[in-house]
Each structure stands twice: as C-alpha cells, then as structure tokens.
C-alpha cells in the first residue's frame, strides 16, 4: 500500500482524537478493524498519543502497510504480545476476512476475547 496514505489516516485520526476526545477505546469493522488494532498497537508504542485503553475488532485482519509491520515487529521484540485488552468478533463464513486472518490478528494481543458466529 501507499505509505503516505497510511500516515495521512493516522494524522487525521490523531486530530479527531485530540479535538473530539478523550476516548477510552476504539472500534473498527473490516478495514477499519485493522486500523483500530494498528492504532491500539501504536498507542502502546507511544506512536499514537490517544491513550487507547481497549480495542473492539470486528472482521479483523492485518494491514499490509510496511511501516505497521515494522512497528509490530519492534513491539514483539519488547515482549511477546501487545498488552491492550481486545474483543474480536469473527464470522466463520466471512470470505473477505476469513477466520484464520482474524485469529492471526487476535494472537498479537495479550489475552484477546474472541467471539465467533456462523455468519
């Protein structure tokens, strides 16, 4: 993906969090869930100053942005898992964000709560 686009999204959301917040957590669906999980990880690393205390991830998967993969690698080097509470909703029949992609993302977090449904 376009790295510049990713950082424009981050800058835009940082502005929203600053002007409209504070917010305790973040929720995202599909591509937005990937963003929510990424911002939670960035918040832990001090690279997104929003004080995100939890994330709700619906139909989630990793973003393909290289800078984000580098960040996740750095965070994992500091410890095995991202220590922010997460709730993951997974549709077993989802063909866009298959179950395995959701579980791979959930596995990045310490003690994720995973709820699966048949949809």
């Amino acid at each position: 993906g376009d790295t510049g686009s990713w950082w424009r999204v981050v800058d835009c959301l940082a502005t929203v969090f600053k002007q409209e917040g504070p917010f305790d957590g973040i929720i995202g669906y599909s591509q937005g869930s990937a963003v929510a999980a990424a911002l939670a990880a960035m918040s832990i690393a001090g690279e997104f100053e929003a004080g995100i205390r939890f994330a709700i991830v619906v139909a989630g998967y990793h973003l393909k942005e290289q800078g984000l993969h580098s960040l996740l690698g750095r965070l994992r080097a500091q410890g095995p898992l991202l220590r922010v509470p997460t709730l993951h909703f997974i549709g077993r029949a989802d063909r866009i964000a298959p179950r395995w992609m959701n579980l791979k993302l959930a596995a990045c977090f310490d003690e994720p709560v995973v709820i699966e449904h048949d949809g």
Side-chain angles (χ1 to χ4, degrees):
D2 174 10
T3 299
S5 295
W6 167 247
W7 292 110
R8 284 191 298 275
V9 168
V10 171
D11 288 344
C12 178
L13 290 172
T15 299
V16 169
F17 271 75
K18 196 173 289 182
Q19 291 177 354
E20 305 293 330
F23 300 104
D24 290 325
I26 189 167
I27 184 171
Y29 169 76
S30 192
Q31 188 172 6
S33 69
V35 172
L39 292 180
M42 292 175 70
S43 185
I44 290 170
E47 296 185 24
F48 186 78
E49 296 185 25
I52 294 173
R53 296 182 5 210
F54 69 88
I56 299 173
V57 178
V58 183
Y61 57 91
H62 278 289
L63 288 173
K64 295 179 181 178
E65 207 298 301
Q66 188 57 41
L68 183 57
H69 285 281
S70 297
L71 169 66
L72 291 174
R74 286 195 321 270
L75 291 173
R76 287 193 134 182
Q78 296 171 11
L81 300 169
L82 302 176
R83 299 198 189 294
V84 61
T86 56
L87 173 62
H88 301 258
F89 290 96
I90 300 173
R92 291 185 197 103
D94 189 338
R95 286 179 252 142
I96 305 299
R99 183 176 183 269
W100 70 267
M101 288 177 126
N102 282 266
L103 292 174
K104 183 178 176 182
L105 179 59
C108 292
F109 294 92
D110 188 29
E111 300 182 24
V113 175
V114 175
I115 298 174
E116 296 189 47
H117 60 88
D118 291 331

